[in-house]
Short mmCIF file of all heavy atoms in Angstrom, two decimals:
data_model
loop_
_atom_site.label_atom_id
_atom_site.label_comp_id
_atom_site.label_asym_id
_atom_site.label_seq_id
_atom_site.Cartn_x
_atom_site.Cartn_y
_atom_site.Cartn_z
N LEU A 1 181.51 129.86 -173.55
CA LEU A 1 182.11 131.18 -173.93
C LEU A 1 181.84 131.33 -175.42
O LEU A 1 182.16 130.68 -176.19
CB LEU A 1 183.65 131.03 -173.64
CG LEU A 1 184.10 130.59 -172.36
CD1 LEU A 1 185.70 130.42 -172.38
CD2 LEU A 1 183.81 131.73 -171.32
N VAL A 2 181.09 132.53 -175.53
CA VAL A 2 180.64 132.78 -176.95
C VAL A 2 181.38 134.09 -177.49
O VAL A 2 181.01 135.19 -176.86
CB VAL A 2 179.19 132.96 -176.99
CG1 VAL A 2 178.70 133.18 -178.47
CG2 VAL A 2 178.56 131.58 -176.61
N GLU A 3 182.19 133.86 -178.44
CA GLU A 3 182.85 135.12 -178.93
C GLU A 3 181.95 135.84 -180.13
O GLU A 3 181.24 135.11 -180.71
CB GLU A 3 184.22 134.84 -179.54
CG GLU A 3 185.22 134.27 -178.72
CD GLU A 3 185.19 132.71 -178.71
OE1 GLU A 3 184.26 132.10 -179.25
OE2 GLU A 3 186.28 132.05 -178.50
N SER A 4 182.17 137.16 -180.38
CA SER A 4 181.52 137.91 -181.46
C SER A 4 182.47 139.04 -181.74
O SER A 4 183.26 139.39 -180.93
CB SER A 4 180.11 138.29 -181.08
OG SER A 4 180.16 139.20 -179.91
N GLY A 5 182.17 139.68 -182.94
CA GLY A 5 182.88 140.90 -183.30
C GLY A 5 183.99 140.61 -184.33
O GLY A 5 184.57 141.66 -184.66
N GLY A 6 184.29 139.42 -184.72
CA GLY A 6 185.18 139.29 -185.77
C GLY A 6 184.82 139.71 -187.10
O GLY A 6 183.65 140.20 -187.24
N GLY A 7 185.73 139.68 -188.06
CA GLY A 7 185.23 140.09 -189.36
C GLY A 7 186.59 140.59 -190.20
O GLY A 7 187.79 140.22 -189.82
N LEU A 8 186.31 141.21 -191.30
CA LEU A 8 187.31 141.65 -192.32
C LEU A 8 187.54 143.12 -192.06
O LEU A 8 186.56 143.97 -191.96
CB LEU A 8 186.82 141.45 -193.75
CG LEU A 8 187.72 141.97 -194.78
CD1 LEU A 8 189.08 141.37 -194.85
CD2 LEU A 8 187.13 141.76 -196.21
N VAL A 9 188.85 143.57 -191.93
CA VAL A 9 189.08 144.99 -191.70
C VAL A 9 190.31 145.27 -192.41
O VAL A 9 191.25 144.41 -192.67
CB VAL A 9 189.26 145.26 -190.20
CG1 VAL A 9 190.43 144.47 -189.58
CG2 VAL A 9 189.37 146.65 -189.98
N GLN A 10 190.42 146.51 -192.89
CA GLN A 10 191.67 147.00 -193.56
C GLN A 10 192.89 147.29 -192.54
O GLN A 10 192.56 147.57 -191.43
CB GLN A 10 191.42 148.22 -194.38
CG GLN A 10 190.36 148.07 -195.52
CD GLN A 10 190.26 149.15 -196.49
OE1 GLN A 10 190.57 150.36 -196.09
NE2 GLN A 10 189.81 149.08 -197.62
N PRO A 11 194.04 147.17 -193.12
CA PRO A 11 195.13 147.46 -192.28
C PRO A 11 194.98 148.87 -191.64
O PRO A 11 194.68 149.82 -192.31
CB PRO A 11 196.40 147.47 -193.16
CG PRO A 11 195.95 146.35 -194.20
CD PRO A 11 194.53 146.58 -194.45
N GLY A 12 195.33 149.03 -190.38
CA GLY A 12 195.08 150.28 -189.67
C GLY A 12 193.74 150.48 -188.99
O GLY A 12 193.59 151.43 -188.18
N GLY A 13 192.85 149.57 -189.35
CA GLY A 13 191.44 149.53 -188.85
C GLY A 13 191.26 149.00 -187.41
O GLY A 13 192.36 148.65 -186.78
N SER A 14 190.10 149.11 -186.98
CA SER A 14 189.79 148.57 -185.64
C SER A 14 188.72 147.51 -185.56
O SER A 14 187.80 147.59 -186.45
CB SER A 14 189.45 149.80 -184.69
OG SER A 14 190.44 150.76 -184.64
N LEU A 15 188.82 146.63 -184.60
CA LEU A 15 187.71 145.73 -184.22
C LEU A 15 187.50 145.62 -182.81
O LEU A 15 188.63 145.71 -182.00
CB LEU A 15 188.01 144.45 -184.98
CG LEU A 15 187.63 144.21 -186.40
CD1 LEU A 15 188.10 142.80 -186.86
CD2 LEU A 15 186.30 144.41 -186.69
N ARG A 16 186.40 145.23 -182.32
CA ARG A 16 186.09 144.93 -180.95
C ARG A 16 185.55 143.55 -180.74
O ARG A 16 184.47 143.30 -181.26
CB ARG A 16 185.18 145.91 -180.38
CG ARG A 16 184.89 145.90 -178.98
CD ARG A 16 183.88 147.02 -178.65
NE ARG A 16 183.21 147.00 -177.29
CZ ARG A 16 183.77 147.68 -176.28
NH1 ARG A 16 184.87 148.36 -176.45
NH2 ARG A 16 183.21 147.49 -175.04
N LEU A 17 186.36 142.70 -180.03
CA LEU A 17 185.88 141.36 -179.84
C LEU A 17 185.18 141.26 -178.53
O LEU A 17 185.63 141.89 -177.48
CB LEU A 17 187.05 140.38 -179.90
CG LEU A 17 187.76 140.21 -181.17
CD1 LEU A 17 188.78 139.19 -181.02
CD2 LEU A 17 186.83 139.87 -182.35
N SER A 18 184.07 140.62 -178.43
CA SER A 18 183.33 140.31 -177.12
C SER A 18 183.20 138.88 -176.84
O SER A 18 183.17 137.96 -177.80
CB SER A 18 181.98 140.90 -177.14
OG SER A 18 182.01 142.35 -177.28
N CYS A 19 183.29 138.46 -175.52
CA CYS A 19 183.06 137.06 -175.07
C CYS A 19 182.19 137.09 -174.05
O CYS A 19 182.44 137.59 -172.92
CB CYS A 19 184.47 136.44 -174.80
SG CYS A 19 184.33 134.84 -173.98
N VAL A 20 180.99 136.43 -174.15
CA VAL A 20 180.09 136.38 -173.05
C VAL A 20 180.19 134.97 -172.48
O VAL A 20 180.08 133.95 -173.23
CB VAL A 20 178.62 136.53 -173.58
CG1 VAL A 20 177.65 136.38 -172.44
CG2 VAL A 20 178.57 138.04 -174.21
N ALA A 21 180.30 134.93 -171.21
CA ALA A 21 180.39 133.62 -170.48
C ALA A 21 179.17 133.30 -169.73
O ALA A 21 178.43 134.21 -169.19
CB ALA A 21 181.56 133.84 -169.43
N SER A 22 178.99 131.93 -169.61
CA SER A 22 177.87 131.48 -168.86
C SER A 22 178.28 130.18 -168.12
O SER A 22 179.11 129.50 -168.67
CB SER A 22 176.62 131.35 -169.64
OG SER A 22 176.79 130.32 -170.73
N GLY A 23 177.65 129.82 -167.17
CA GLY A 23 177.95 128.52 -166.49
C GLY A 23 179.30 128.45 -165.65
O GLY A 23 179.76 127.35 -165.33
N ILE A 24 179.87 129.69 -165.42
CA ILE A 24 181.07 129.80 -164.76
C ILE A 24 181.10 130.94 -163.78
O ILE A 24 180.41 131.94 -164.04
CB ILE A 24 182.25 129.82 -165.82
CG1 ILE A 24 183.61 129.66 -165.08
CG2 ILE A 24 182.15 131.22 -166.46
CD1 ILE A 24 184.80 129.61 -166.03
N ASN A 25 181.86 130.87 -162.70
CA ASN A 25 182.01 131.96 -161.75
C ASN A 25 182.88 132.99 -162.37
O ASN A 25 184.11 132.90 -162.21
CB ASN A 25 182.51 131.55 -160.37
CG ASN A 25 182.39 132.58 -159.31
OD1 ASN A 25 182.70 133.73 -159.62
ND2 ASN A 25 182.05 132.25 -158.16
N PHE A 26 182.42 133.85 -163.15
CA PHE A 26 183.21 134.74 -163.99
C PHE A 26 184.08 135.69 -163.03
O PHE A 26 185.15 135.88 -163.44
CB PHE A 26 182.24 135.63 -164.79
CG PHE A 26 182.98 136.48 -165.92
CD1 PHE A 26 183.40 135.96 -167.06
CD2 PHE A 26 183.23 137.83 -165.63
CE1 PHE A 26 183.99 136.78 -168.03
CE2 PHE A 26 183.86 138.61 -166.58
CZ PHE A 26 184.29 138.09 -167.68
N TYR A 27 183.53 136.08 -161.99
CA TYR A 27 184.27 137.03 -161.15
C TYR A 27 185.61 136.52 -160.66
O TYR A 27 186.54 137.20 -160.66
CB TYR A 27 183.35 137.32 -159.85
CG TYR A 27 184.03 138.37 -158.93
CD1 TYR A 27 183.77 139.67 -159.25
CD2 TYR A 27 184.82 137.97 -157.96
CE1 TYR A 27 184.41 140.60 -158.28
CE2 TYR A 27 185.45 138.92 -157.03
CZ TYR A 27 185.03 140.33 -157.24
OH TYR A 27 185.65 141.20 -156.42
N TYR A 28 185.77 135.27 -160.43
CA TYR A 28 186.95 134.52 -159.98
C TYR A 28 187.78 133.93 -161.05
O TYR A 28 188.82 133.40 -160.80
CB TYR A 28 186.67 133.41 -159.00
CG TYR A 28 186.13 133.92 -157.64
CD1 TYR A 28 184.72 133.88 -157.28
CD2 TYR A 28 186.80 134.65 -156.73
CE1 TYR A 28 184.20 134.22 -156.07
CE2 TYR A 28 186.47 135.17 -155.59
CZ TYR A 28 185.13 134.90 -155.17
OH TYR A 28 184.64 135.53 -154.06
N SER A 29 187.35 134.11 -162.25
CA SER A 29 187.97 133.50 -163.41
C SER A 29 189.06 134.41 -163.96
O SER A 29 188.91 135.57 -164.03
CB SER A 29 186.95 133.14 -164.60
OG SER A 29 186.06 132.15 -164.19
N ASP A 30 190.27 133.84 -164.31
CA ASP A 30 191.19 134.57 -165.02
C ASP A 30 190.89 134.32 -166.51
O ASP A 30 190.63 133.22 -167.03
CB ASP A 30 192.66 133.95 -164.84
CG ASP A 30 193.12 134.21 -163.41
OD1 ASP A 30 192.61 135.18 -162.80
OD2 ASP A 30 194.04 133.38 -162.97
N MET A 31 190.81 135.48 -167.20
CA MET A 31 190.35 135.46 -168.55
C MET A 31 191.34 135.90 -169.61
O MET A 31 192.30 136.64 -169.24
CB MET A 31 189.07 136.44 -168.80
CG MET A 31 188.00 136.13 -167.88
SD MET A 31 187.26 134.49 -168.19
CE MET A 31 186.70 134.68 -169.92
N GLY A 32 191.26 135.41 -170.77
CA GLY A 32 192.29 135.77 -171.81
C GLY A 32 191.82 135.70 -173.22
O GLY A 32 190.82 134.85 -173.49
N TRP A 33 192.51 136.39 -173.99
CA TRP A 33 192.29 136.15 -175.47
C TRP A 33 193.54 135.52 -176.09
O TRP A 33 194.63 135.94 -175.80
CB TRP A 33 192.14 137.56 -176.20
CG TRP A 33 190.73 138.09 -175.88
CD1 TRP A 33 190.54 139.17 -174.98
CD2 TRP A 33 189.48 137.87 -176.47
NE1 TRP A 33 189.11 139.45 -174.97
CE2 TRP A 33 188.58 138.62 -175.94
CE3 TRP A 33 189.11 137.00 -177.60
CZ2 TRP A 33 187.22 138.49 -176.25
CZ3 TRP A 33 187.81 136.89 -177.90
CH2 TRP A 33 186.85 137.74 -177.25
N TYR A 34 193.23 134.49 -176.89
CA TYR A 34 194.33 133.79 -177.73
C TYR A 34 194.07 133.87 -179.20
O TYR A 34 192.95 134.14 -179.49
CB TYR A 34 194.31 132.34 -177.18
CG TYR A 34 194.46 132.20 -175.69
CD1 TYR A 34 193.46 132.48 -174.87
CD2 TYR A 34 195.75 131.76 -175.11
CE1 TYR A 34 193.54 132.40 -173.48
CE2 TYR A 34 195.81 131.69 -173.81
CZ TYR A 34 194.71 132.12 -172.93
OH TYR A 34 194.84 131.86 -171.57
N ARG A 35 194.99 133.64 -179.99
CA ARG A 35 194.89 133.57 -181.38
C ARG A 35 195.70 132.53 -182.02
O ARG A 35 196.74 132.01 -181.52
CB ARG A 35 195.15 134.83 -182.04
CG ARG A 35 196.64 135.32 -181.93
CD ARG A 35 196.67 136.75 -182.55
NE ARG A 35 198.11 137.10 -182.51
CZ ARG A 35 198.51 138.45 -182.81
NH1 ARG A 35 197.62 139.36 -183.10
NH2 ARG A 35 199.86 138.77 -182.67
#
């Protein structure tokens, strides 16, 4: 699972995180973001 899209942003701003999966049956997987 490879994340991308992080960075520095000012309050009120926006970011878009992506996670590309490999080696797993993605269709049947429950996915989530944690921090």
